[in-house]
Amino acid sequence: MDMSATTIIFIIAAFSLGLVVIMQRNNIPPKLRRGLAIASIAFIAFAFFLIVYSLATMGS
């Protein structure tokens, strides 16, 4: 797999995790909820960074 396919898969997975955490927040135990929310925020923030970085380096 090349780097762009890996990046796209990570971005899709990060946003999917965030969506699952938001949709299933009532079914997640309270002790696990905070950790999953923090991990989701970190993954989504890194996914946004990868999107911006790929757009910035697209022309070079």
Side-chain angles (χ1 to χ4, degrees):
M1 252 193 237
D2 60 341
M3 187 66 163
S4 63
T6 307
T7 304
I8 292 171
I9 290 171
F10 175 77
I11 291 169
I12 292 170
F15 283 108
S16 298
L17 175 64
L19 184 65
V20 167
V21 168
I22 289 172
M23 291 177 65
Q24 298 295 322
R25 67 180 173 260
N26 295 330
N27 298 332
I28 301 172
K31 290 185 178 181
L32 187 61
R33 190 180 307 156
R34 180 179 296 243
L36 277 176
I38 291 171
S40 298
I41 290 170
F43 288 150
I44 291 172
F46 188 63
F48 272 123
F49 168 74
L50 288 176
I51 291 169
V52 170
Y53 179 76
S54 67
L55 288 175
T57 60
M58 191 181 330
S60 57

